Each structure stands twice: as C-alpha cells, then as structure tokens.
C-alpha cells in the first residue's frame, strides 16, 4: 500500500513539474466571473467576439501556431495570453471592467468564417493539438474541438480535426464539420459528449458554412448515374434535408435543359435567402451560367417557380440589398446593383452605385445608405447607393484583414490590430467631420492596460515598472501598457511608446 502511495505521489509531482497539469486534469481552472448570464441571449456567435448578458468574451489577439514548439506551450492554463479567450464585465456606459482569461489556451482556425460559440454555460472553440509525431514535433496542423464552462471551471474535449483549415460550426447540440467530402457530427448535451462521430452526408462535392448561423448548405451529384445534374441540401440543427431533387423540374428526366449544375455563392440569414449559380446540362453551346436566389420559408422547401434570377452571368462577390431590390456586385471598384430579372431574360438590368478606391473591400457594417469597410488596413465609409458619393476615411488605425472576420456589436467595431496583433475596438460615433475639425476614430486594446513608468538601463534597454492606477508624482511621465500581452510584445510596445514620447 505504501509503495502504491509513493508511486501515485511521484506521478502527480512529475505531471505538474513538466507542465501537463491540463493534460492530467483540465476540468478545473476557474472560477472566472460567474455564470449568472448563462440563460441570456448570445450576440455574434461564431466570431472572435461574443456577448452573453453582461459579459464580453473575445480572442485576445492572433498568435501563430509556430510559437507552439513544445506541447506545454498550449497546455490548458499554460498557454500564452495571446490567442487565449478573455472574459470582461460590461459596464453600464459600455466600457469594460474586470477582465480575466477564461480559456487559457490558444484559439485557432484557418477556416473562413471561423470563430467560437457560446451556448448556455459552455464556450465552444478550436485549439491546436498538443500531440507530437515520432520526431517530437507538435502536430499544430491538427485542431481539437473543446468546450469550457463560462466560468472556466470545467473543460471537455469533443473531437480532433486532421487539418486546421477544416470548416465547422458548433450548434447547441452538436459539433459539425466537413472533412474528406463528408459532413460529420459529434453530438453533446449539457453534461456529456457523444463518443462516436455520425456521418450526416457522404460524397459531398462542395459545402457552404455561413456566417453567424449554424445553417449549412451543401451539394451532391445525383445518385442516378444516367443524369448530369447535382442537387442542393441543407443541414439545420444537425438534421439534413433535400432542397432540390431530381424531381424538382418535372421534365428533367428527358430534357437535359432541366438538369442543372448548381454552385453555392452565399447565404443571407436575415432574409433566409440562398444565392447560387446554375447552368443546364444541355449540349447547347450558347448556354450560360446565371446567378439566382431563393427565399426560403421555415421548412427550407423549394418551389422552382419562385426562384429569382439576378444575373445572366456567374457572380461571386455579392451582397444582398433585398430580395426584391437586387444584389450588389463588389468585384470591381465601382459597385454595381444587379436587379431581379424575368426567368427567360438574357440581358442584365444593372445600375452603377458608388466607386471605392480599389477592389478587395471588407465590409464591416452597412445600413440602407451607408457602408463601413476596410481597404488596405484602413477603415472608411461611403454612401454606397450614391453614384457621386465620396469615400471618407474615418480611422488611421492599422486593421488586420488577413485572419477572421471583423465584428460589430452595438456601437463598437472589434478587430485585430496590424502591429502587435491583439484584439482592439473602436467606436464609430467618435468620428468627427466638421469644417476645420476632423477627428479620426482611435482604437484601444480590449483587454485593458496597466499604468507604468518607462526607463532605460545601462544597456540602453527599456525597463517597465508597473505602478498603482492612482500613482502620481510631479515630473514623472506615466504610460499605459496592455495588461494581457506577452513579455516580448509588451517590451516592443513600451519601446515604441518611449521613442514616441522622446520625439514629442
């Protein structure tokens, strides 16, 4: 018995000494804040910034998987604060209060439309694997799906993905992902995770995971080998339904002009509209691929007579301006409205809108008249419906657009800044444009700052000395250094501040 006890103690000591406490037992970390808002509405699920009640949750910047050189670099509770998920109290005036790390592990995905999700008292997210190959290289190209309680007190593993570009979504009851032409599901409830993966659909040729919604569309070829068409399917809450079938067009069995090849373009959750291109499979050399949209009801049933044509060509970079109004094409600097067409139309009905400085705009938000967007890492706005409108630059902040989507919650825009790659936010209404008074919007790091004194040592290196928030001494210059920053980044940040102060 004593021998067994000594062995047990020794194993626990070794486990903690090598920094693998999270691997031995990742079920306890918090408590961080409370779970009082677990039944509140969640805003902006599936992004880098999610609000639930009086708390804001966000990824504290963009870190590189190359920085995980050994497993312990991403152990739960041992990972860098850069890339961890934070939790901040939201004050009545919109400012952020007490802030803590709620998921001390790197969030990462290279899939488009990626993000984390909150349902009830769980945060659902992806993180690089800490497993190694036979040469001790960390397999960071693989991702692991986890969930952690919103107070950090428990963590459970859901599934492992073979690549970090795997497209996915977390729903209230399942983790759904697309791999090797198969749509897969791992179910869960409030207390446990399913041990087996369920295949929802196989031989899938393409898939469309959609922003801020768990609705997934995908395409499969007809199961009838004598036909040339494919069909559209939808996955809602983990259940698959056929949208189009071989019988959607009654005469298709004997008419290749009614056997269509579809390609998915985009989905607008607000109007429940799917945009897609299709071309018939006749041998007619004059056939074209046209762009269509379909507005669904609650059951996602499809009536071919109600689909709407928007262009007699294939559009790929479009924004829905209203199912009855048309779509805005953003493939060129000059924005173009494509209006709805009759089913047999062969000429587009277009209208020129505003002209941007270049192509490649990332839309941040838009309403009936104004559009906020990022080009070349700067934020602009324009009255996009006005052909003569002039672009207004509203911020000089360097905004990163190389990773995941920029988020807007309330009056604030959340983004990864392009210098140190941490999560920042700015307030749209801070922009002032009056005669002889132009004030750009300035961003601030979301996780907060600490008051500090900066000095140089004998080696001409910057030294950071943190002081109390109410510290004051006449003649002393104080600086604000981000609280949740790596030591190397904080030093670089301090050096830049110090150099700026010397040049003033």
């Amino acid at each position: 018995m004593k021998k067994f006890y000594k062995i047990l103690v020794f194993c626990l000591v070794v486990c903690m000494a090598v920094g693998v406490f999270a691997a031995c037992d990742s079920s306890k970390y918090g408590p961080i804040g409370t779970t009082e808002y677990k039944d509140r509405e969640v805003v902006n699920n599936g992004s880098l910034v999610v609000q639930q009640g009086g708390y804001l949750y966000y990824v504290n910047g963009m870190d590189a998987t190359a920085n995980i050189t050994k497993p312990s670099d991403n152990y739960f509770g041992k990972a860098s604060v850069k890339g961890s998920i934070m939790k901040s109290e939201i004050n009545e005036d919109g400012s952020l209060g007490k802030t803590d790390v709620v998921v001390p592990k790197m969030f990462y995905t290279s899939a488009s439309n990626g993000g984390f999700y909150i349902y009830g008292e769980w945060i659902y997210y992806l993180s690089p694997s800490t497993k190694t190959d036979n040469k001790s290289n960390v397999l960071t190209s693989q991702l692991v799906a986890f969930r952690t309680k919103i107070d950090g007190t428990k963590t459970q593993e859901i599934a492992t993905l073979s690549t970090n570009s795997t497209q996915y979504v977390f729903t209230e009851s399942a983790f759904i992902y697309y791999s090797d032409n198969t749509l897969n599901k791992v179910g869960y409830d409030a207390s446990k995770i399913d041990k087996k993966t369920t295949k929802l659909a196989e031989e899938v040729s393409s898939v469309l995971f959609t922003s801020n919604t768990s609705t997934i569309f995908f395409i499969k070829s007809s199961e009838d080998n004598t036909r040339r068409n494919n069909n559209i399917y939808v996955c809602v809450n983990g259940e698959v339904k056929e949208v189009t079938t071989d019988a959607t067009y009654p005469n298709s069995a004997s008419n290749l002009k009614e056997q269509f090849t579809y390609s998915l373009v985009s989905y607008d959750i607000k109007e429940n509209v799917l945009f897609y291109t299709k071309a018939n499979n006749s041998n007619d050399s004059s056939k074209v691929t046209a762009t269509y949209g379909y507005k669904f009801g609650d059951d996602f049933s499809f009536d071919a007579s109600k689909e709407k044509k928007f262009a007699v060509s294939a559009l790929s970079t479009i924004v829905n301006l209203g199912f009855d109004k048309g779509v805005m094409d953003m493939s060129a600097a000059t924005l173009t409205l494509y209006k709805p067409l009759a089913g047999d139309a062969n000429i587009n009905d277009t209208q020129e809108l505003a002209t941007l400085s270049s192509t490649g705009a990332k839309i941040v938000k838009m309403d009936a008249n104004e559009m906020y967007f990022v080009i070349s890492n700067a934020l602009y706005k324009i009255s996009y419906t006005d052909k003569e409108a002039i672009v207004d630059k509203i911020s000089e902040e360097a905004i990163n657009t190389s990773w995941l989507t920029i988020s807007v919650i309330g009056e604030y825009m959340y983004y990864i800044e392009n210098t140190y790659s941490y999560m920042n936010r700015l307030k749209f209404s801070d922009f002032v444009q009056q005669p002889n008074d132009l004030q750009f919007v300035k961003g601030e790091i979301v996780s907060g700052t600490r008051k500090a004194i900066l000095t140089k040592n004998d080696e001409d290196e910057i030294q950071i000395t943190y002081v109390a928030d109410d510290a004051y001494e006449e003649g002393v210059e104080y600086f604000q250094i981000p609280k949740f920053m790596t030591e190397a980044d904080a030093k670089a940040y301090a050096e830049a501040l110090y150099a700026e102060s010397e040049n003033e």
Side-chain angles (χ1 to χ4, degrees), residues 329-358:
D329 177 48
M330 299 186 65
S331 60
T334 296
L335 307 177
T336 303
L337 171 65
Y338 281 76
K339 301 176 183 179
L341 302 170
D344 58 352
N346 54 22
I347 298 176
N348 290 322
D349 183 3
T350 63
Q351 175 185 337
E352 282 194 5
L353 303 177
T355 299
L356 310 183
S357 58
S358 66

Side-chain angles (χ1 to χ4, degrees), residues 198-441:
T198 300
K199 292 181 179 180
L200 293 173
E202 298 181 89
E203 298 181 352
V204 175
S205 57
S206 66
V207 65
L208 177 66
F209 283 75
T210 55
S211 298
N212 301 120
T213 169
S214 59
T215 302
I216 305 162
F217 293 92
F218 61 93
I219 286 176
K220 292 181 60 174
S221 295
S222 170
E223 294 181 358
D224 184 344
N225 293 330
T226 66
R227 299 176 65 95
R228 299 182 184 181
N229 63 283
N230 57 23
N231 285 304
I232 300 174
Y233 296 74
V234 65
C235 178
V236 182
N237 297 323
E239 300 297 327
V240 171
K241 174 183 173 59
E242 287 183 301
V243 175
T244 67
T245 70
D246 290 348
T248 294
Y249 301 91
N251 300 320
S252 62
S254 58
N255 187 354
L256 290 178
K257 288 187 176 182
E258 291 193 7
Q259 292 186 23
F260 294 101
T261 296
Y262 296 94
S263 180
L264 304 171
V265 177
S266 64
Y267 172 65
D268 180 3
I269 186 176
K270 292 181 180 179
E271 282 200 305
N272 200 17
V273 173
L274 175 69
F275 293 98
Y276 51 92
T277 64
K278 74 173 188 179
N280 70 57
N281 284 286
S282 70
N283 296 318
D284 186 350
S285 60
S286 65
K287 70 179 182 181
V288 297
T289 300
T291 302
Y292 294 80
Y294 192 88
K295 189 171 185 176
F296 294 105
D298 294 336
D299 62 354
F300 286 92
S301 59
F302 185 90
D303 180 348
S305 67
K306 295 180 180 179
E307 68 179 342
K308 190 170 289 186
K309 183 188 287 188
F310 290 93
V312 297
S313 58
L315 304 179
S316 59
T317 53
I318 58 175
V319 178
N320 182 29
L321 298 186
F323 191 62
D324 295 324
K325 183 177 181 180
V327 297
M328 181 172 71
D329 177 48
M330 299 186 65
S331 60
T334 296
L335 307 177
T336 303
L337 171 65
Y338 281 76
K339 301 176 183 179
L341 302 170
D344 58 352
N346 54 22
I347 298 176
N348 290 322
D349 183 3
T350 63
Q351 175 185 337
E352 282 194 5
L353 303 177
T355 299
L356 310 183
S357 58
S358 66
T359 59
K362 303 283 187 180
I363 296 178
V364 173
K365 75 167 187 171
M366 60 190 303
D367 54 29
N369 297 302
E370 281 193 325
M371 178 176 80
Y372 291 79
F373 60 97
V374 175
I375 288 182
S376 300
N377 306 114
L379 179 63
Y380 301 86
K381 72 172 182 176
I382 193 170
S383 297
Y384 66 93
T385 58
D386 182 359
K387 184 179 178 180
E388 308 300 325
I390 298 173
V391 173
D392 289 320
K393 184 176 184 179
I394 72 169
S395 178
E396 295 187 309
E397 301 295 307
I399 298 168
N400 186 296
T401 57
S402 66
W403 196 28
L404 301 178
T405 55
I406 296 168
S407 294
V408 174
I409 298 180
E411 301 178 281
Y412 295 94
M413 183 185 94
Y414 295 84
Y415 61 96
I416 303 294
E417 52 82 26
N418 209 35
T419 304
Y420 303 98
S421 297
Y422 287 85
M423 182 65 73
N424 277 33
R425 74 173 184 173
L426 54 78
K427 193 173 183 179
F428 293 109
S429 59
D430 286 345
F431 176 64
V432 176
Q433 188 177 38
Q434 302 291 343
N436 302 317
D437 184 15
L438 176 62
Q439 296 179 33
F440 289 118
V441 180

Side-chain angles (χ1 to χ4, degrees), residues 134 263 470:
N134 57 7
S263 180
D470 60 355

Side-chain angles (χ1 to χ4, degrees), residues 69-71 132-138:
T69 59
K70 55 185 183 299
T132 57
D133 62 16
N134 57 7
K135 295 182 179 180
S136 298
N137 298 308
V138 185

Side-chain angles (χ1 to χ4, degrees), residues 455-489:
T455 56
K456 280 190 175 182
N457 62 18
D458 294 338
E459 285 75 36
D460 206 35
E461 296 175 334
I462 296 294
Q463 301 294 302
I464 305 173
T465 303
Y466 294 104
V467 298
D469 289 339
D470 60 355
Y472 175 76
E473 184 178 341
E474 189 173 350
V476 175
E477 185 174 9
Y478 296 97
F479 299 85
Q480 293 293 331
I481 307 296
K483 286 182 182 179
F484 295 92
M485 210 177 219
T486 65
E487 184 177 348
D489 287 341

